Structure formats: structure tokens, C-alpha cells
Amino acid sequence: MISKQTDEAEALAREAKAKRTGRQLDTRRLGAEVCTATSGRTKSEDHRLMERVVERSNLRLAYQRVVENKGAPGVDQVTVAEFKDWLKVHWPSVKQALLEGRYLPRPVRRVEIPKPAGGVRTLGVPTVVDRLIQQALHQVLQPLFEPTFSDGSYGFRPGRGAHQAVRKAQGYIREGKRWVVDLDLEKFFDRVNHDVLMARVAREVSDARVLKLIRRFLEAGMMSEGLVEPRTQGTPQGGPLSPLLSNVLLTDLDRELERRGLAFCRYADDCNIYVRSRTAGARVMSRVRVFLEKVLHLQINAAKSAVARPWERKFLGFSFTAQRESRVRIALESRRRLSERVRELQRLGRGHSLTHLIADLNPLLRGWIGYFQIAETPNVLKELDSWVRRRLRCVLWRQWKRPYTRAQKLRSLGLDATRAHMSAGNHRGPWWNAGSSHMGYALPAAYFQKFGLLSLLQTQQRLQRAR
């Protein structure tokens, strides 16, 4: 028996490795097969759900995704690279414990990352094997809960995303709902009530082993500096199961909003409700607050929640213009974050060549515009492109240092000797010179294009044509 289970663990690792050599089944097709096998069942048939969780094809897909996502090791210090060998030795006993309802997750490793708006976000990093089990659970549970989710929910769901939520919100504004109830749930992932959440999970899951395992994941302690802190509430961000559980819990909020006939968009714990007047917004805010506190045991962050005009607030990094046919724009805070990141990269790159600086900048710019590609304010992107080029000119001006070197560089870039000499010795600061006409002439947009600098506006246009 042990030999057979060991062979199964080795087969699992070999099949996952085969992806890198072209022998792997297509991940999307395999995921569809897992969903098909799981969907269409009633709750009464779920008493053997754990067998589906540890079924080989489901685990193979979970293993692929864990390996692809990489991630830091948990409290046991086993890395993703070491995980294959770990599985060969330990998987038989882990599988047996899961089937018998005895499996105990390890504590999660506490990691704090700074929030863009200040403060810190606490993550709980599970061990790699716990990530594998959570991912396998997620793949089996998602098809069960997906039909129960609201049409107004867009976060962490297949075929849905932030862009769809923003477009839906734009549609509500254009319909005349030009006030928004912007809800921010205070420390949502840290304050989820375990009993309330498990009651909602149990609506669709009857396998006691699965319910017990989910609760154990929720209650697994959090380790920091060698000490394990017990947890009685919350579902820490960092594991594959937390996003699904957040949707399971907040579906009750969605249904309450639907029952009241309200227009809303929710992405995880970020929820906007669109109404026609401030009075209606204040009434909705009050009633939703009562529902969240009494039914879901959650709190609204009063400092970050408000009834306001949509163009005065941000939603998933976007905002909207105030015109009747409201357009999607990039929130000022999102632009500020990009500016700060560009400045940071350029500070780190001082002394490096322009080629090196641009190579560092391009992935940031590409990822940023990839997310904000649906923005309908091209002038903002044009201004940002100009600002990035000015930052690069500023770096070059600093690198040239002495007036003699600056004059030589400007002459080599096309300025006549007199103008190059006068510009090089003007005693103005680097930022002023970076925006001056002589630097604009010497280092136009085409100059940076030759070095491969990505243009936000042109990239957005290419992405939109490709859609």
C-alpha cells in the first residue's frame, strides 16, 4: 500500500515537471475537466468531497499552479524548488490524514507589507504543502459556490475582473445614478467571524472532513519571530482559499443589496453602491452598516467610507469624469503611485546607463498600462509619457556633471556650439534643465524610443486595437 502511494506521489511530481518539457496536458483544459467533474452535483452528493480534492488530476493541476506562482516558503522553510522531493517522502501520509479527517495545517508565517496609502497589510504565508491543499480545495469548491454568487460580484471569479466592474459602474453613472456609497470594510480579512463564515460554507458542503479542514486552516496560528499567535477570527491573505471564502461570506451582502433593488459593484471587500441622490445614499449607508454589523459581524471603516460623487472617489484604482457620458479615468492616487515608483527606480539607477534605466522602467510601465488600459483620458497618458522622459533627461543632466561635459554632450546631440555652451553654464538645477527647450531639442521623444522606452499612450492604443 505504501509503495503504491509513494509511486503516486512520484507520478504527481513527474507529471507536473512534464509541463516544462512540453508533455503536460494544457492547464486550461485540465481545469475545465476538474470543474466539469465537480459541477452539477447537489449538496447531498458531497459527502465524498474530500476524495475529489485528493484525486490525481485535481492535485496535478493544483501542483502546477503552486509551482507557477512560486512564492516564499512557510514556517517549515520548504521552498517550491524543494517541494517535489518533499512530496515523494511525505505525500502518502498527508493524503491518508486528509481522507481520515486528521490533517492539521501548520501555522502561517506572518509577513507585513506597506500599503500604498500608509500603514501595513498583514499576510499569512502558508507552507507549500498547505498551499497545495488549499489550491486543490479551491478547485473543487469554486464550481460548487460559483452558481450561488451574485452578478454584481467581480473579484476572484473565473471570467470576471476589475475592468468589468469598472465598466459596470460607468454604466450605472451614465444611467443617472450619480452618487456613490463607497464602502470600505475595516480590516476585513483580519476580522472575518469564523462561525459566520463556516455556516455559509456549510450551505453547499456537507462533507464533515472538508468543513473541519477549512476551519483548521482558518484557526491555524500565525508565527512571527518564532512565536505562534493563536487566531480566533480572520482569514489571512496569502493562501489560495482566502479569496473564495471572502466571496462566500460577502454573497449575503450582495443578496441583501439585490433584495433592496440597489445597483452595486463589488470586488472582494471593495463595494460601491450607485444611487440618484445624497439622501438616498445616506439612507443606504445607514442600513448597510446595520446589516454588516448585525448579520455578518463586520465593521465599516468610517474614515474611508463615504457618500459622494463618483468622480470624487476611486474604485479599483480608477475614477470617472463628471460629464453626462462619464468616462473612465485613472485615479490621481494611482498616478501618484506610479510617479513614486518611477522616482524610486531612477534613484536606484543613478550612475547606470540609459539602456539600463529604461530596461528597469519598461516592466513597470508595461504592467501599469496593462491594468489601466481601459482609461478614456489619453491626455493623462501623454502627460505621463512626457514626465517620464523629463525624469530621464534629469538623470542624464546629473550624470554629465560638469559644464564642459554638458556642452560636449549637447553639441554631440545636435545643438550649435554657442547654444550648447550657454545652456551648459546656466547654473539652473537639473529638473529645470530637464524641462528646458535645449534638452527637449537634444533629447526628443524619438531619442528615447531608439533606446526602447515604452510609451504609455502608444501601448494603450496597441492593446485596445488587439482587443
Side-chain angles (χ1 to χ4, degrees):
M1 179 66 177
I2 297 296
S3 176
K4 180 179 178 180
Q5 290 176 329
T6 303
D7 290 343
E8 185 181 68
E10 291 177 347
L12 175 62
R14 283 198 305 271
E15 288 163 349
K17 183 180 178 181
K19 176 179 180 289
R20 295 189 294 272
T21 58
R23 300 190 300 271
Q24 185 75 31
L25 287 172
D26 180 77
T27 298
R28 292 182 180 177
R29 179 168 60 84
L30 184 54
E33 290 171 359
V34 171
C35 291
T36 302
T38 310
S39 61
R41 295 180 286 105
T42 63
K43 179 178 174 179
S44 62
E45 297 171 325
D46 288 342
H47 59 281
R48 292 182 60 80
L49 204 61
M50 186 61 80
E51 279 72 14
R52 296 178 180 270
V53 171
V54 300
E55 196 270 329
R56 178 178 290 187
S57 64
N58 186 54
L59 282 169
R60 187 167 68 243
L61 179 60
Y63 184 93
Q64 287 177 21
R65 289 178 174 168
V66 168
V67 171
E68 288 168 0
N69 291 336
K70 299 180 181 179
V75 296
D76 61 357
Q77 296 302 310
V78 175
T79 66
V80 171
E82 300 165 342
F83 189 43
K84 181 178 72 172
D85 293 332
W86 189 97
L87 272 179
K88 291 177 182 178
V89 177
H90 298 283
W91 177 247
S93 60
V94 170
K95 178 180 177 181
Q96 195 66 29
L98 288 169
L99 290 172
E100 294 175 2
R102 297 183 290 104
Y103 184 77
L104 293 175
R106 298 289 300 274
V108 296
R109 184 167 61 86
R110 183 187 186 98
V111 176
E112 292 184 345
I113 59 174
K115 291 183 178 180
V120 296
R121 175 178 288 109
T122 300
L123 302 182
V125 181
T127 61
V128 185
V129 67
D130 284 341
R131 294 208 292 272
L132 173 72
I133 295 168
Q134 287 193 35
Q135 181 62 41
L137 273 170
H138 182 280
Q139 291 164 186
V140 171
L141 295 178
Q142 179 82 39
L144 281 179
F145 285 100
E146 184 63 27
T148 71
F149 292 156
S150 166
D151 192 51
S153 167
Y154 292 88
F156 311 121
R157 296 181 61 187
R160 288 172 166 253
H163 290 174
Q164 292 166 300
V166 171
R167 288 297 191 196
K168 189 67 174 179
Q170 182 186 30
Y172 289 140
I173 297 168
R174 288 180 170 180
E175 289 172 6
K177 299 179 176 68
R178 296 171 68 81
W179 289 87
V180 62
V181 181
D182 187 356
L183 297 177
D184 183 274
L185 300 181
E186 188 169 11
K187 296 182 178 179
F188 169 73
F189 284 95
D190 296 332
R191 295 189 175 177
V192 169
N193 183 286
H194 291 171
D195 292 333
V196 173
L197 173 57
M198 290 308 302
R200 277 134 186 90
V201 174
R203 292 173 182 172
E204 303 298 325
V205 176
S206 61
D207 190 324
R209 297 167 299 176
V210 172
L211 293 172
K212 187 186 297 184
L213 180 61
I214 293 173
R215 182 174 278 276
R216 284 174 176 170
F217 275 122
L218 292 173
E219 294 176 348
M222 183 173 287
M223 180 178 285
S224 178
E225 298 181 352
L227 298 177
V228 177
E229 177 184 328
R231 199 166 69 239
T232 58
Q233 64 178 2
T235 169
Q237 301 175 74
L241 204 53
S242 292
L244 174 63
L245 294 179
S246 71
N247 275 335
V248 170
L249 180 63
L250 291 175
T251 292
D252 275 22
L253 171 62
D254 299 341
R255 296 307 178 195
E256 176 66 13
L257 298 178
E258 289 174 346
R259 187 183 68 80
R260 295 177 180 274
L262 296 170
F264 71 96
C265 299
R266 182 178 65 79
Y267 191 99
D269 59 330
D270 198 344
C271 183
N272 278 7
I273 306 166
Y274 295 88
V275 295
R276 294 183 181 274
S277 68
R278 179 187 288 275
T279 302
R283 183 170 60 249
V284 168
M285 176 71 84
S286 176
R287 292 176 179 176
V288 170
R289 183 192 302 272
V290 171
F291 175 83
L292 287 168
E293 292 176 354
K294 299 296 184 184
V295 178
L296 299 183
H297 296 209
L298 296 171
Q299 299 287 326
I300 289 178
N301 187 329
K304 295 183 179 180
S305 301
V307 178
R309 295 292 196 179
W311 42 91
E312 297 170 352
R313 308 293 292 181
K314 65 180 180 69
F315 181 48
L316 303 177
F318 292 89
S319 189
F320 304 92
T321 62
Q323 293 99 330
R324 186 176 184 84
E325 287 298 307
S326 187
R327 293 179 295 159
V328 176
R329 65 181 177 88
I330 302 167
L332 289 174
E333 185 177 337
S334 301
R335 293 159 57 185
R336 177 182 59 79
R337 290 179 194 169
L338 175 67
S339 300
E340 289 175 353
R341 185 67 181 130
V342 169
R343 288 190 185 98
E344 180 184 353
L345 286 175
Q346 291 182 342
R347 280 196 299 270
L348 295 173
R350 283 181 182 174
H352 293 165
S353 67
L354 184 61
T355 301
H356 188 283
L357 284 170
I358 290 175
D360 285 344
L361 273 177
N362 277 347
L364 169 66
L365 299 176
R366 187 177 293 109
W368 191 86
I369 193 58
Y371 180 74
F372 288 105
Q373 62 180 280
I374 65 170
E376 298 169 324
T377 49
N379 285 340
V380 170
L381 298 180
K382 187 176 180 180
E383 290 171 8
L384 284 171
D385 278 337
S386 177
W387 179 84
V388 169
R389 291 193 297 269
R390 184 172 180 179
R391 292 291 310 179
L392 290 172
R393 293 187 190 105
C394 186
V395 170
L396 292 174
W397 186 262
R398 289 180 183 276
Q399 288 180 351
W400 296 343
K401 293 184 180 179
R402 295 178 302 171
Y404 176 76
T405 305
R406 289 169 179 167
Q408 277 193 320
K409 291 288 186 181
L410 290 173
R411 287 183 63 186
S412 69
L413 290 168
L415 266 70
D416 63 76
T418 302
R419 188 180 181 190
H421 177 74
M422 292 179 62
S423 299
N426 61 27
H427 302 296
R428 298 275 191 166
W431 184 245
W432 184 91
N433 276 283
S436 66
S437 60
H438 58 266
M439 286 291 278
Y441 179 85
L443 301 169
Y447 179 85
F448 295 104
Q449 281 183 329
K450 288 192 301 183
F451 284 85
L453 179 65
L454 182 141
S455 163
L456 295 173
L457 180 59
Q458 292 176 8
T459 303
Q460 182 203 42
Q461 292 169 345
R462 285 198 298 271
L463 290 170
Q464 290 178 341
R465 286 196 298 268
R467 283 193 302 183

